[in-house]
Amino acid sequence: MSAPLQQILARIETAARAAGRDEPVSLLAVSKTQPASAVLALHRLGQRAFGENYVQEAQAKQRSLAEAGLADGALEWHLIGPLQSNKAREAALHFDWLQSLDREKLVAPLSRHRAGRSTPLNVLIQVNIDGEASKSGCAPDAVPALARQVVAAEHLYLRGLMAIPEPAADPARRRTAFRRMRALFDGLRAEHDGIDTLSMGMSDDFELAIAEGATMVRVGTALFGRRGA
């Protein structure tokens, strides 16, 4: 196993143990801007779940990996970037998870286009937990209504929530955002069956996120290095 992957997995395990967590914390390798060869290399080391920001970039990698002989379904693809309405069909057909659902008008087209697949599209609602004007995500108070829309959609499966808190040098500020997300997550879990995923925490703060309840962390830089490095 490569040193970065081994180190990240060990840190996740240590953080989960320190937090007294019983459920496993999964790693999403954020492969945006990385070549298909980097995805394949990590897959060969045992990593299965990969996160992409853009539909077209992900499709190009999927084609390259298929040409390299990787079997269909060998990888689990997560769309973590903002989804434009005109990309709903491609997202529904080419991803296993959508982590960035943030508005009700996407629900119906996503479900409709997913109808031909054998499994529903796993969905996380992205929450703009800090109310940043430049960031995607719905407001915290919009989560319950959007969640009900997803649950009612035949070909979607609501799994939980995702957030990208505002970067802050002060860990206490990030901790506050993570705790607010955990409260939203607990409320959602009390209302709906099948809620099991709280995706938050990245390369520079995933251990803090785990301490506050993350069940999935999204790591790119710590696995692949800085962009262009």
Side-chain angles (χ1 to χ4, degrees):
M1 183 177 292
S2 74
L5 179 59
Q6 186 175 32
Q7 290 167 5
I8 293 299
L9 291 175
R11 287 170 61 188
I12 289 172
E13 183 178 356
T14 299
R17 190 184 311 117
R21 302 284 296 280
D22 294 325
E23 71 273 26
V25 178
S26 63
L27 170 64
L28 181 68
V30 178
S31 50
K32 63 179 184 179
T33 77
Q34 300 296 327
S37 58
V39 173
L40 184 58
L42 268 191
H43 168 66
R44 287 172 173 164
L45 296 172
Q47 179 63 28
R48 182 166 182 262
F50 292 86
E52 292 285 333
N53 262 31
Y54 302 104
V55 171
Q56 287 177 303
E57 181 183 342
Q59 286 182 272
K61 291 176 190 177
Q62 290 167 357
R63 287 192 294 270
S64 294
L65 291 166
E67 291 169 1
L70 198 65
D72 185 37
L75 301 182
E76 183 179 273
W77 293 97
H78 295 233
L79 182 61
I80 59 176
L83 178 61
Q84 299 176 339
S85 298
N86 63 356
K87 296 296 183 181
R89 179 180 181 277
E90 287 80 3
L93 291 176
H94 297 287
F95 287 86
D96 303 290
W97 288 66
L98 170 64
Q99 294 206 16
S100 53
L101 182 72
D102 61 359
R103 55 200 188 279
E104 291 186 16
K105 77 173 191 175
L106 290 171
V107 172
L110 283 168
S111 182
R112 182 173 68 252
H113 292 305
R114 188 69 179 190
R117 297 291 300 271
S118 60
T119 58
L121 178 67
N122 296 291
V123 172
L124 301 182
I125 294 173
Q126 182 176 355
V127 183
N128 189 345
I129 194 63
D130 293 313
E132 297 177 80
S134 62
K135 189 169 287 182
S136 300
C138 69
D141 61 6
V143 169
L146 182 52
R148 287 190 288 271
Q149 290 283 331
V150 177
V151 169
E154 183 178 0
H155 302 289
L156 305 182
Y157 179 18
L158 181 64
R159 299 292 294 270
L161 302 174
M162 183 271 264
I164 308 172
E166 183 179 10
D170 181 4
R173 288 184 59 189
R174 295 196 192 192
R175 187 182 293 276
T176 297
F178 289 145
R179 285 181 175 174
R180 291 174 62 205
M181 284 300 302
R182 175 60 184 267
L184 282 174
F185 178 68
D186 287 344
L188 194 65
R189 192 157 48 178
E191 185 175 351
H192 301 287
D193 294 332
I195 304 299
D196 59 6
T197 305
L198 179 55
S199 173
M200 61 183 189
M202 297 186 287
S203 289
D204 60 348
D205 61 7
F206 69 82
E207 286 150 318
L208 181 60
I210 291 171
E212 296 302 332
T215 68
M216 178 185 291
V217 295
R218 307 181 306 275
V219 178
T221 301
L223 278 175
F224 296 105
R226 296 282 176 187
R227 297 180 197 178

PDB file of all heavy atoms in Angstrom, residues 60-93:
ATOM      1  N   ALA A  60     -14.660  11.130 -18.789  1.00  0.00           N
ATOM      2  CA  ALA A  60     -13.417  10.877 -19.526  1.00  0.00           C
ATOM      3  C   ALA A  60     -12.555   9.857 -18.787  1.00  0.00           C
ATOM      4  O   ALA A  60     -11.971   8.954 -19.406  1.00  0.00           O
ATOM      5  CB  ALA A  60     -12.651  12.182 -19.715  1.00  0.00           C
ATOM      6  N   LYS A  61     -12.472   9.972 -17.478  1.00  0.00           N
ATOM      7  CA  LYS A  61     -11.698   9.003 -16.699  1.00  0.00           C
ATOM      8  C   LYS A  61     -12.340   7.628 -16.743  1.00  0.00           C
ATOM      9  O   LYS A  61     -11.649   6.607 -16.850  1.00  0.00           O
ATOM     10  CB  LYS A  61     -11.569   9.479 -15.250  1.00  0.00           C
ATOM     11  CG  LYS A  61     -10.690  10.689 -15.083  1.00  0.00           C
ATOM     12  CD  LYS A  61     -10.670  11.180 -13.646  1.00  0.00           C
ATOM     13  CE  LYS A  61      -9.986  12.532 -13.567  1.00  0.00           C
ATOM     14  NZ  LYS A  61      -9.998  13.091 -12.201  1.00  0.00           N
ATOM     15  N   GLN A  62     -13.657   7.586 -16.664  1.00  0.00           N
ATOM     16  CA  GLN A  62     -14.354   6.308 -16.718  1.00  0.00           C
ATOM     17  C   GLN A  62     -14.081   5.599 -18.043  1.00  0.00           C
ATOM     18  O   GLN A  62     -13.854   4.376 -18.073  1.00  0.00           O
ATOM     19  CB  GLN A  62     -15.848   6.522 -16.497  1.00  0.00           C
ATOM     20  CG  GLN A  62     -16.198   6.940 -15.074  1.00  0.00           C
ATOM     21  CD  GLN A  62     -17.612   7.457 -14.935  1.00  0.00           C
ATOM     22  OE1 GLN A  62     -18.358   7.559 -15.915  1.00  0.00           O
ATOM     23  NE2 GLN A  62     -17.997   7.811 -13.723  1.00  0.00           N
ATOM     24  N   ARG A  63     -14.082   6.355 -19.139  1.00  0.00           N
ATOM     25  CA  ARG A  63     -13.786   5.757 -20.447  1.00  0.00           C
ATOM     26  C   ARG A  63     -12.353   5.236 -20.491  1.00  0.00           C
ATOM     27  O   ARG A  63     -12.087   4.125 -20.980  1.00  0.00           O
ATOM     28  CB  ARG A  63     -14.025   6.775 -21.560  1.00  0.00           C
ATOM     29  CG  ARG A  63     -15.501   7.062 -21.828  1.00  0.00           C
ATOM     30  CD  ARG A  63     -15.679   7.851 -23.118  1.00  0.00           C
ATOM     31  NE  ARG A  63     -15.107   9.195 -23.026  1.00  0.00           N
ATOM     32  CZ  ARG A  63     -15.778  10.273 -22.611  1.00  0.00           C
ATOM     33  NH1 ARG A  63     -17.047  10.172 -22.252  1.00  0.00           N
ATOM     34  NH2 ARG A  63     -15.193  11.463 -22.578  1.00  0.00           N
ATOM     35  N   SER A  64     -11.414   6.032 -19.978  1.00  0.00           N
ATOM     36  CA  SER A  64     -10.007   5.616 -19.982  1.00  0.00           C
ATOM     37  C   SER A  64      -9.793   4.357 -19.153  1.00  0.00           C
ATOM     38  O   SER A  64      -9.053   3.442 -19.553  1.00  0.00           O
ATOM     39  CB  SER A  64      -9.122   6.746 -19.435  1.00  0.00           C
ATOM     40  OG  SER A  64      -9.139   7.864 -20.283  1.00  0.00           O
ATOM     41  N   LEU A  65     -10.449   4.295 -18.011  1.00  0.00           N
ATOM     42  CA  LEU A  65     -10.296   3.135 -17.140  1.00  0.00           C
ATOM     43  C   LEU A  65     -10.936   1.891 -17.747  1.00  0.00           C
ATOM     44  O   LEU A  65     -10.417   0.786 -17.602  1.00  0.00           O
ATOM     45  CB  LEU A  65     -10.890   3.440 -15.769  1.00  0.00           C
ATOM     46  CG  LEU A  65     -10.097   4.478 -14.962  1.00  0.00           C
ATOM     47  CD1 LEU A  65     -10.917   4.973 -13.778  1.00  0.00           C
ATOM     48  CD2 LEU A  65      -8.771   3.898 -14.493  1.00  0.00           C
ATOM     49  N   ALA A  66     -12.062   2.080 -18.436  1.00  0.00           N
ATOM     50  CA  ALA A  66     -12.690   0.949 -19.122  1.00  0.00           C
ATOM     51  C   ALA A  66     -11.777   0.421 -20.221  1.00  0.00           C
ATOM     52  O   ALA A  66     -11.631  -0.794 -20.405  1.00  0.00           O
ATOM     53  CB  ALA A  66     -14.038   1.358 -19.695  1.00  0.00           C
ATOM     54  N   GLU A  67     -11.144   1.345 -20.948  1.00  0.00           N
ATOM     55  CA  GLU A  67     -10.216   0.938 -22.013  1.00  0.00           C
ATOM     56  C   GLU A  67      -8.997   0.231 -21.438  1.00  0.00           C
ATOM     57  O   GLU A  67      -8.382  -0.615 -22.102  1.00  0.00           O
ATOM     58  CB  GLU A  67      -9.788   2.167 -22.815  1.00  0.00           C
ATOM     59  CG  GLU A  67     -10.916   2.764 -23.659  1.00  0.00           C
ATOM     60  CD  GLU A  67     -10.567   4.124 -24.237  1.00  0.00           C
ATOM     61  OE1 GLU A  67      -9.429   4.601 -23.987  1.00  0.00           O
ATOM     62  OE2 GLU A  67     -11.420   4.711 -24.933  1.00  0.00           O
ATOM     63  N   ALA A  68      -8.649   0.566 -20.194  1.00  0.00           N
ATOM     64  CA  ALA A  68      -7.511  -0.080 -19.533  1.00  0.00           C
ATOM     65  C   ALA A  68      -7.885  -1.441 -18.958  1.00  0.00           C
ATOM     66  O   ALA A  68      -7.033  -2.134 -18.398  1.00  0.00           O
ATOM     67  CB  ALA A  68      -6.976   0.823 -18.424  1.00  0.00           C
ATOM     68  N   GLY A  69      -9.164  -1.816 -19.096  1.00  0.00           N
ATOM     69  CA  GLY A  69      -9.602  -3.134 -18.672  1.00  0.00           C
ATOM     70  C   GLY A  69     -10.262  -3.196 -17.315  1.00  0.00           C
ATOM     71  O   GLY A  69     -10.567  -4.295 -16.825  1.00  0.00           O
ATOM     72  N   LEU A  70     -10.519  -2.034 -16.689  1.00  0.00           N
ATOM     73  CA  LEU A  70     -11.180  -2.040 -15.389  1.00  0.00           C
ATOM     74  C   LEU A  70     -12.652  -2.381 -15.576  1.00  0.00           C
ATOM     75  O   LEU A  70     -13.357  -1.765 -16.372  1.00  0.00           O
ATOM     76  CB  LEU A  70     -11.040  -0.676 -14.716  1.00  0.00           C
ATOM     77  CG  LEU A  70     -11.304  -0.642 -13.210  1.00  0.00           C
ATOM     78  CD1 LEU A  70     -10.267  -1.465 -12.468  1.00  0.00           C
ATOM     79  CD2 LEU A  70     -11.280   0.791 -12.704  1.00  0.00           C
ATOM     80  N   ALA A  71     -13.123  -3.360 -14.835  1.00  0.00           N
ATOM     81  CA  ALA A  71     -14.496  -3.835 -14.992  1.00  0.00           C
ATOM     82  C   ALA A  71     -15.497  -2.779 -14.548  1.00  0.00           C
ATOM     83  O   ALA A  71     -15.253  -2.013 -13.608  1.00  0.00           O
ATOM     84  CB  ALA A  71     -14.694  -5.114 -14.188  1.00  0.00           C
ATOM     85  N   ASP A  72     -16.635  -2.759 -15.217  1.00  0.00           N
ATOM     86  CA  ASP A  72     -17.717  -1.863 -14.839  1.00  0.00           C
ATOM     87  C   ASP A  72     -18.177  -2.195 -13.420  1.00  0.00           C
ATOM     88  O   ASP A  72     -18.403  -3.360 -13.091  1.00  0.00           O
ATOM     89  CB  ASP A  72     -18.882  -2.021 -15.815  1.00  0.00           C
ATOM     90  CG  ASP A  72     -20.002  -1.033 -15.541  1.00  0.00           C
ATOM     91  OD1 ASP A  72     -19.709   0.114 -15.174  1.00  0.00           O
ATOM     92  OD2 ASP A  72     -21.175  -1.417 -15.691  1.00  0.00           O
ATOM     93  N   GLY A  73     -18.274  -1.178 -12.581  1.00  0.00           N
ATOM     94  CA  GLY A  73     -18.675  -1.404 -11.198  1.00  0.00           C
ATOM     95  C   GLY A  73     -17.523  -1.631 -10.243  1.00  0.00           C
ATOM     96  O   GLY A  73     -17.738  -1.769  -9.033  1.00  0.00           O
ATOM     97  N   ALA A  74     -16.302  -1.668 -10.761  1.00  0.00           N
ATOM     98  CA  ALA A  74     -15.147  -1.879  -9.889  1.00  0.00           C
ATOM     99  C   ALA A  74     -14.907  -0.683  -8.980  1.00  0.00           C
ATOM    100  O   ALA A  74     -14.373  -0.823  -7.878  1.00  0.00           O
ATOM    101  CB  ALA A  74     -13.899  -2.162 -10.718  1.00  0.00           C
ATOM    102  N   LEU A  75     -15.295   0.494  -9.459  1.00  0.00           N
ATOM    103  CA  LEU A  75     -15.135   1.719  -8.684  1.00  0.00           C
ATOM    104  C   LEU A  75     -16.498   2.293  -8.317  1.00  0.00           C
ATOM    105  O   LEU A  75     -17.499   2.042  -8.985  1.00  0.00           O
ATOM    106  CB  LEU A  75     -14.351   2.768  -9.482  1.00  0.00           C
ATOM    107  CG  LEU A  75     -12.954   2.383  -9.939  1.00  0.00           C
ATOM    108  CD1 LEU A  75     -12.297   3.552 -10.669  1.00  0.00           C
ATOM    109  CD2 LEU A  75     -12.094   1.946  -8.774  1.00  0.00           C
ATOM    110  N   GLU A  76     -16.506   3.077  -7.253  1.00  0.00           N
ATOM    111  CA  GLU A  76     -17.712   3.769  -6.811  1.00  0.00           C
ATOM    112  C   GLU A  76     -17.474   5.257  -7.038  1.00  0.00           C
ATOM    113  O   GLU A  76     -16.584   5.849  -6.423  1.00  0.00           O
ATOM    114  CB  GLU A  76     -17.944   3.474  -5.327  1.00  0.00           C
ATOM    115  CG  GLU A  76     -19.208   4.079  -4.751  1.00  0.00           C
ATOM    116  CD  GLU A  76     -19.358   3.708  -3.287  1.00  0.00           C
ATOM    117  OE1 GLU A  76     -19.932   2.632  -3.003  1.00  0.00           O
ATOM    118  OE2 GLU A  76     -18.884   4.486  -2.428  1.00  0.00           O
ATOM    119  N   TRP A  77     -18.275   5.845  -7.918  1.00  0.00           N
ATOM    120  CA  TRP A  77     -18.063   7.236  -8.316  1.00  0.00           C
ATOM    121  C   TRP A  77     -19.030   8.171  -7.594  1.00  0.00           C
ATOM    122  O   TRP A  77     -20.238   7.949  -7.597  1.00  0.00           O
ATOM    123  CB  TRP A  77     -18.248   7.383  -9.829  1.00  0.00           C
ATOM    124  CG  TRP A  77     -17.200   6.677 -10.627  1.00  0.00           C
ATOM    125  CD1 TRP A  77     -17.283   5.444 -11.197  1.00  0.00           C
ATOM    126  CD2 TRP A  77     -15.894   7.165 -10.943  1.00  0.00           C
ATOM    127  NE1 TRP A  77     -16.110   5.128 -11.841  1.00  0.00           N
ATOM    128  CE2 TRP A  77     -15.242   6.173 -11.709  1.00  0.00           C
ATOM    129  CE3 TRP A  77     -15.208   8.364 -10.661  1.00  0.00           C
ATOM    130  CZ2 TRP A  77     -13.940   6.336 -12.189  1.00  0.00           C
ATOM    131  CZ3 TRP A  77     -13.907   8.514 -11.139  1.00  0.00           C
ATOM    132  CH2 TRP A  77     -13.298   7.512 -11.898  1.00  0.00           C
ATOM    133  N   HIS A  78     -18.474   9.221  -6.994  1.00  0.00           N
ATOM    134  CA  HIS A  78     -19.249  10.218  -6.268  1.00  0.00           C
ATOM    135  C   HIS A  78     -19.093  11.570  -6.957  1.00  0.00           C
ATOM    136  O   HIS A  78     -17.962  12.023  -7.183  1.00  0.00           O
ATOM    137  CB  HIS A  78     -18.744  10.368  -4.831  1.00  0.00           C
ATOM    138  CG  HIS A  78     -18.928   9.154  -3.979  1.00  0.00           C
ATOM    139  ND1 HIS A  78     -19.575   9.208  -2.753  1.00  0.00           N
ATOM    140  CD2 HIS A  78     -18.531   7.853  -4.141  1.00  0.00           C
ATOM    141  CE1 HIS A  78     -19.570   8.000  -2.215  1.00  0.00           C
ATOM    142  NE2 HIS A  78     -18.948   7.164  -3.039  1.00  0.00           N
ATOM    143  N   LEU A  79     -20.202  12.217  -7.267  1.00  0.00           N
ATOM    144  CA  LEU A  79     -20.154  13.591  -7.761  1.00  0.00           C
ATOM    145  C   LEU A  79     -20.246  14.504  -6.553  1.00  0.00           C
ATOM    146  O   LEU A  79     -21.246  14.499  -5.827  1.00  0.00           O
ATOM    147  CB  LEU A  79     -21.302  13.869  -8.735  1.00  0.00           C
ATOM    148  CG  LEU A  79     -21.311  15.281  -9.342  1.00  0.00           C
ATOM    149  CD1 LEU A  79     -20.043  15.546 -10.148  1.00  0.00           C
ATOM    150  CD2 LEU A  79     -22.545  15.479 -10.219  1.00  0.00           C
ATOM    151  N   ILE A  80     -19.195  15.306  -6.328  1.00  0.00           N
ATOM    152  CA  ILE A  80     -19.145  16.164  -5.153  1.00  0.00           C
ATOM    153  C   ILE A  80     -19.203  17.642  -5.504  1.00  0.00           C
ATOM    154  O   ILE A  80     -19.307  18.482  -4.611  1.00  0.00           O
ATOM    155  CB  ILE A  80     -17.892  15.864  -4.301  1.00  0.00           C
ATOM    156  CG1 ILE A  80     -16.614  16.081  -5.109  1.00  0.00           C
ATOM    157  CG2 ILE A  80     -17.958  14.448  -3.739  1.00  0.00           C
ATOM    158  CD1 ILE A  80     -15.341  15.892  -4.302  1.00  0.00           C
ATOM    159  N   GLY A  81     -19.142  17.956  -6.800  1.00  0.00           N
ATOM    160  CA  GLY A  81     -19.216  19.347  -7.218  1.00  0.00           C
ATOM    161  C   GLY A  81     -20.645  19.768  -7.503  1.00  0.00           C
ATOM    162  O   GLY A  81     -21.552  18.936  -7.597  1.00  0.00           O
ATOM    163  N   PRO A  82     -20.875  21.073  -7.646  1.00  0.00           N
ATOM    164  CA  PRO A  82     -22.224  21.572  -7.942  1.00  0.00           C
ATOM    165  C   PRO A  82     -22.767  20.957  -9.225  1.00  0.00           C
ATOM    166  O   PRO A  82     -22.035  20.780 -10.204  1.00  0.00           O
ATOM    167  CB  PRO A  82     -22.006  23.083  -8.108  1.00  0.00           C
ATOM    168  CG  PRO A  82     -20.737  23.378  -7.376  1.00  0.00           C
ATOM    169  CD  PRO A  82     -19.879  22.159  -7.542  1.00  0.00           C
ATOM    170  N   LEU A  83     -24.049  20.626  -9.207  1.00  0.00           N
ATOM    171  CA  LEU A  83     -24.677  19.997 -10.371  1.00  0.00           C
ATOM    172  C   LEU A  83     -25.563  20.997 -11.093  1.00  0.00           C
ATOM    173  O   LEU A  83     -26.513  21.533 -10.514  1.00  0.00           O
ATOM    174  CB  LEU A  83     -25.512  18.790  -9.943  1.00  0.00           C
ATOM    175  CG  LEU A  83     -26.272  18.068 -11.057  1.00  0.00           C
ATOM    176  CD1 LEU A  83     -25.315  17.518 -12.102  1.00  0.00           C
ATOM    177  CD2 LEU A  83     -27.137  16.958 -10.485  1.00  0.00           C
ATOM    178  N   GLN A  84     -25.254  21.238 -12.364  1.00  0.00           N
ATOM    179  CA  GLN A  84     -26.099  22.082 -13.198  1.00  0.00           C
ATOM    180  C   GLN A  84     -27.271  21.258 -13.713  1.00  0.00           C
ATOM    181  O   GLN A  84     -27.156  20.057 -13.938  1.00  0.00           O
ATOM    182  CB  GLN A  84     -25.295  22.641 -14.373  1.00  0.00           C
ATOM    183  CG  GLN A  84     -24.124  23.516 -13.962  1.00  0.00           C
ATOM    184  CD  GLN A  84     -23.292  23.958 -15.152  1.00  0.00           C
ATOM    185  OE1 GLN A  84     -23.320  23.345 -16.212  1.00  0.00           O
ATOM    186  NE2 GLN A  84     -22.534  25.022 -14.971  1.00  0.00           N
ATOM    187  N   SER A  85     -28.391  21.932 -13.925  1.00  0.00           N
ATOM    188  CA  SER A  85     -29.607  21.231 -14.363  1.00  0.00           C
ATOM    189  C   SER A  85     -29.395  20.457 -15.653  1.00  0.00           C
ATOM    190  O   SER A  85     -29.926  19.353 -15.822  1.00  0.00           O
ATOM    191  CB  SER A  85     -30.753  22.228 -14.532  1.00  0.00           C
ATOM    192  OG  SER A  85     -31.056  22.855 -13.310  1.00  0.00           O
ATOM    193  N   ASN A  86     -28.606  21.012 -16.577  1.00  0.00           N
ATOM    194  CA  ASN A  86     -28.417  20.351 -17.866  1.00  0.00           C
ATOM    195  C   ASN A  86     -27.478  19.145 -17.798  1.00  0.00           C
ATOM    196  O   ASN A  86     -27.251  18.465 -18.795  1.00  0.00           O
ATOM    197  CB  ASN A  86     -27.911  21.344 -18.916  1.00  0.00           C
ATOM    198  CG  ASN A  86     -26.546  21.935 -18.581  1.00  0.00           C
ATOM    199  OD1 ASN A  86     -25.983  21.677 -17.534  1.00  0.00           O
ATOM    200  ND2 ASN A  86     -26.027  22.739 -19.488  1.00  0.00           N
ATOM    201  N   LYS A  87     -26.931  18.866 -16.601  1.00  0.00           N
ATOM    202  CA  LYS A  87     -26.072  17.695 -16.419  1.00  0.00           C
ATOM    203  C   LYS A  87     -26.750  16.622 -15.572  1.00  0.00           C
ATOM    204  O   LYS A  87     -26.119  15.624 -15.203  1.00  0.00           O
ATOM    205  CB  LYS A  87     -24.751  18.108 -15.760  1.00  0.00           C
ATOM    206  CG  LYS A  87     -23.892  19.052 -16.598  1.00  0.00           C
ATOM    207  CD  LYS A  87     -23.418  18.388 -17.876  1.00  0.00           C
ATOM    208  CE  LYS A  87     -22.505  19.323 -18.678  1.00  0.00           C
ATOM    209  NZ  LYS A  87     -22.065  18.693 -19.949  1.00  0.00           N
ATOM    210  N   ALA A  88     -28.034  16.805 -15.285  1.00  0.00           N
ATOM    211  CA  ALA A  88     -28.736  15.854 -14.421  1.00  0.00           C
ATOM    212  C   ALA A  88     -28.750  14.456 -15.031  1.00  0.00           C
ATOM    213  O   ALA A  88     -28.573  13.450 -14.320  1.00  0.00           O
ATOM    214  CB  ALA A  88     -30.155  16.331 -14.146  1.00  0.00           C
ATOM    215  N   ARG A  89     -28.975  14.369 -16.337  1.00  0.00           N
ATOM    216  CA  ARG A  89     -29.024  13.048 -16.984  1.00  0.00           C
ATOM    217  C   ARG A  89     -27.694  12.321 -16.841  1.00  0.00           C
ATOM    218  O   ARG A  89     -27.656  11.138 -16.456  1.00  0.00           O
ATOM    219  CB  ARG A  89     -29.381  13.195 -18.465  1.00  0.00           C
ATOM    220  CG  ARG A  89     -29.425  11.862 -19.214  1.00  0.00           C
ATOM    221  CD  ARG A  89     -29.794  12.065 -20.685  1.00  0.00           C
ATOM    222  NE  ARG A  89     -29.859  10.793 -21.390  1.00  0.00           N
ATOM    223  CZ  ARG A  89     -28.798  10.161 -21.899  1.00  0.00           C
ATOM    224  NH1 ARG A  89     -27.584  10.709 -21.782  1.00  0.00           N
ATOM    225  NH2 ARG A  89     -28.941   9.007 -22.523  1.00  0.00           N
ATOM    226  N   GLU A  90     -26.592  13.007 -17.168  1.00  0.00           N
ATOM    227  CA  GLU A  90     -25.278  12.376 -17.090  1.00  0.00           C
ATOM    228  C   GLU A  90     -24.928  11.992 -15.656  1.00  0.00           C
ATOM    229  O   GLU A  90     -24.356  10.930 -15.402  1.00  0.00           O
ATOM    230  CB  GLU A  90     -24.208  13.314 -17.660  1.00  0.00           C
ATOM    231  CG  GLU A  90     -24.235  13.466 -19.169  1.00  0.00           C
ATOM    232  CD  GLU A  90     -25.313  14.432 -19.644  1.00  0.00           C
ATOM    233  OE1 GLU A  90     -25.999  15.026 -18.791  1.00  0.00           O
ATOM    234  OE2 GLU A  90     -25.456  14.592 -20.871  1.00  0.00           O
ATOM    235  N   ALA A  91     -25.285  12.850 -14.715  1.00  0.00           N
ATOM    236  CA  ALA A  91     -25.004  12.539 -13.308  1.00  0.00           C
ATOM    237  C   ALA A  91     -25.767  11.299 -12.863  1.00  0.00           C
ATOM    238  O   ALA A  91     -25.226  10.431 -12.172  1.00  0.00           O
ATOM    239  CB  ALA A  91     -25.364  13.733 -12.431  1.00  0.00           C
ATOM    240  N   ALA A  92     -27.025  11.205 -13.268  1.00  0.00           N
ATOM    241  CA  ALA A  92     -27.849  10.061 -12.872  1.00  0.00           C
ATOM    242  C   ALA A  92     -27.354   8.761 -13.489  1.00  0.00           C
ATOM    243  O   ALA A  92     -27.467   7.688 -12.877  1.00  0.00           O
ATOM    244  CB  ALA A  92     -29.301  10.310 -13.271  1.00  0.00           C
ATOM    245  N   LEU A  93     -26.810   8.840 -14.678  1.00  0.00           N
ATOM    246  CA  LEU A  93     -26.394   7.634 -15.388  1.00  0.00           C
ATOM    247  C   LEU A  93     -24.977   7.175 -15.060  1.00  0.00           C
ATOM    248  O   LEU A  93     -24.679   5.982 -15.136  1.00  0.00           O
ATOM    249  CB  LEU A  93     -26.501   7.857 -16.902  1.00  0.00           C
ATOM    250  CG  LEU A  93     -27.904   7.995 -17.476  1.00  0.00           C
ATOM    251  CD1 LEU A  93     -27.833   8.317 -18.960  1.00  0.00           C
ATOM    252  CD2 LEU A  93     -28.714   6.727 -17.240  1.00  0.00           C
TER     253      LEU A  93
END
